[in-house]
Amino acid sequence: DSPDDEDFSETDLVFLEAVANVISMTRERVAAEVDEHRQMHFSETVLNASMDCIKVMTVDGRLEFMNEQGLAQMEIDAFESVRGRSYASFWPDDELEKVHLGLAQAADGVANRFEGMCRTDKGASRWWDVSLSPIRGVSGEVERIVSVARDISERHAHEEQLNALVSMQETK
């Protein structure tokens, strides 16, 4: 036997309808959370597949994320050791002017690019081709900054060798 609507009081029906609404809203919320988790997993997978050093930071330049390749290239053993660290603190004093300018432009919504040398966490000197770009939220305001840096140390070394050869030829 299944109960008919007549077996329920008006209060019972209101209660059951409220329970059904809560269940429906809960299912929608869980589905949205699962979708968000899938999207986050996909984004992280894409970022970690890149050969470049990718950092995401707050508008004031504090590190929130670094992809796996970036950690390896920067010789950082664990991201937790640099989480919250100032992006500018990675760079030597003679590179800070362009770093600060780049961060300020990105915070103002303007993507930019520069080349510079900074040391890894273990002290190795590396040359980088860096782009700093704003990440805008749904309101259109800059919420974060993304840095994509490519290690150009080998190219830079070849350019220095070539310049040295040219200088030698010119002095002859």
Side-chain angles (χ1 to χ4, degrees):
D1 284 323
S2 73
D4 297 288
D5 284 348
E6 293 125 20
D7 293 340
F8 295 100
S9 70
E10 186 65 29
T11 304
D12 291 337
L13 292 174
V14 168
F15 172 75
L16 290 173
E17 185 176 339
V19 169
N21 286 337
V22 168
I23 290 171
S24 176
M25 289 187 304
T26 301
R27 288 183 64 192
E28 289 172 12
R29 182 180 51 77
V30 168
E33 287 175 2
V34 167
D35 189 47
E36 182 180 343
H37 177 73
R38 281 187 190 132
Q39 289 176 1
M40 286 175 50
H41 176 72
F42 174 77
S43 297
E44 190 171 312
T45 300
V46 169
L47 292 172
N48 282 326
S50 175
M51 294 176 13
D52 295 325
C53 176
I54 301 174
K55 299 176 184 90
V56 176
M57 59 199 103
T58 59
V59 176
D60 66 348
R62 302 253 168 228
L63 232 55
E64 290 187 334
F65 171 84
M66 187 183 304
N67 69 338
E68 292 171 4
Q69 187 66 22
L71 292 170
Q73 289 178 0
M74 292 293 298
E75 298 183 315
I76 296 170
D77 294 327
F79 179 68
E80 290 307 314
S81 69
V82 295
R83 179 187 301 276
R85 183 171 161 185
S86 165
Y87 178 75
S89 71
F90 286 94
W91 296 88
D93 291 344
D94 58 340
E95 299 286 356
L96 286 178
E97 185 176 332
K98 59 185 155 190
V99 171
H100 287 300
L101 177 62
L103 286 171
Q105 288 176 336
D108 286 341
V110 178
N112 62 88
R113 191 173 185 166
F114 67 89
E115 288 186 7
M117 190 283 296
C118 82
R119 298 193 182 285
T120 67
D121 226 31
K122 296 193 169 49
S125 294
R126 296 238 169 100
W127 281 90
W128 301 94
D129 177 9
V130 179
S131 67
L132 293 170
S133 302
I135 300 174
R136 297 181 186 278
V138 292
S139 69
E141 294 293 316
V142 176
E143 291 185 350
R144 289 186 173 60
I145 296 171
V146 63
S147 165
V148 179
R150 179 161 290 166
D151 183 348
I152 58 168
S153 300
E154 189 174 317
R155 185 197 85 195
H156 198 271
H158 290 299
E159 287 173 357
E160 285 182 350
Q161 289 172 350
L162 182 60
N163 289 337
L165 287 172
V166 168
S167 291
M168 284 176 36
Q169 291 297 322
E170 289 174 351
T171 59
K172 287 186 176 184

